[in-house]
Structures are given as structure tokens and as C-alpha cells.
Amino acid sequence: LKYFKLAQYDYEGHTNFSNIISVDCDTQNLVDFYPNPFHNELNFAIKNKESISYEITTVLGQIVNSGIVNKENSRISLDDLASDIYFIKINNSKVHKIIKQ
């Protein structure tokens, strides 16, 4: 978790400050997914949050699946995907390679 406060300086020497905001920049340990490679279902082990958003794309960047998973519903069915290499993006940030067998 990081905290930010912006300062704006004008040409007349006045300074304005924004409110302090917090930004969660660390998605590295936010979620684990398994198994990888997978067959028809991908499981998520969510840490530190109630839910996360995900987006699965092909190697060409085409979105093939997206949604939100939470601690109670942490398994997604991907049986409609062909066996291939895909990428999963967590919370619009960290990208991981996944393989469907």
C-alpha cells in the first residue's frame, strides 16, 4: 500500500495540495492460481482481498474470458478454450502465462 499527495504550484507562488490517497500497487502476492497447466478449470487462492478481477487473453491479445472472483467463488470453468498458451491479467496489472492442456 502506497500513499500519495499531489502538490500544485502556480506562477504566482501559490501552492495547493490534494487529499492523501492510498493505492494498492502490489498484486504480486495478491492471488495464486492453480493448476498451471490446467485442463478445464482454473482455481484462485485469493489473499488479502475479498475479490479480484481477471482478464484472460490469447497470445495475440484477444480477450477470451474476464470477470471477478471472490474467496467464496474462486474457480472458473475454461472448458470452452482450446489447448494453447494464454495470459491472465490480475486487477489490470500483473500478467501471468497460463497453459491449457
Side-chain angles (χ1 to χ4, degrees):
L1 194 61
K2 299 190 188 285
Y3 296 93
F4 295 94
K5 183 176 189 176
L6 299 177
Q8 178 182 8
Y9 303 96
D10 64 19
Y11 291 112
E12 297 172 359
H14 298 100
T15 306
N16 291 319
F17 293 97
S18 70
N19 294 330
I20 297 173
I21 61 167
S22 63
V23 178
D24 188 1
C25 299
D26 183 22
T27 60
Q28 182 176 359
N29 296 322
L30 188 62
V31 64
D32 289 325
F33 42 89
Y34 60 91
N36 191 15
F38 67 96
H39 290 283
N40 291 323
E41 292 184 333
L42 192 61
N43 299 292
F44 293 83
I46 301 171
K47 308 171 192 173
N48 305 329
K49 294 234 179 217
E50 290 300 316
S51 64
I52 56 106
S53 63
Y54 70 91
E55 183 178 270
I56 299 174
T57 59
T58 65
V59 293
L60 299 175
Q62 178 187 13
I63 299 171
V64 293
N65 195 305
S66 64
I68 296 174
V69 293
N70 56 46
K71 289 184 178 183
E72 293 81 32
N73 183 17
S74 60
R75 179 181 299 165
I76 57 172
S77 175
L78 298 170
D79 55 350
D80 57 332
L81 296 182
S83 296
D84 205 348
I85 296 173
Y86 297 92
F87 295 99
I88 184 166
K89 185 187 296 186
I90 304 296
N91 285 347
N92 291 320
S93 180
K94 186 82 173 169
V95 177
H96 304 273
K97 180 173 78 172
I98 56 176
I99 301 169
K100 179 167 185 192
Q101 291 183 327

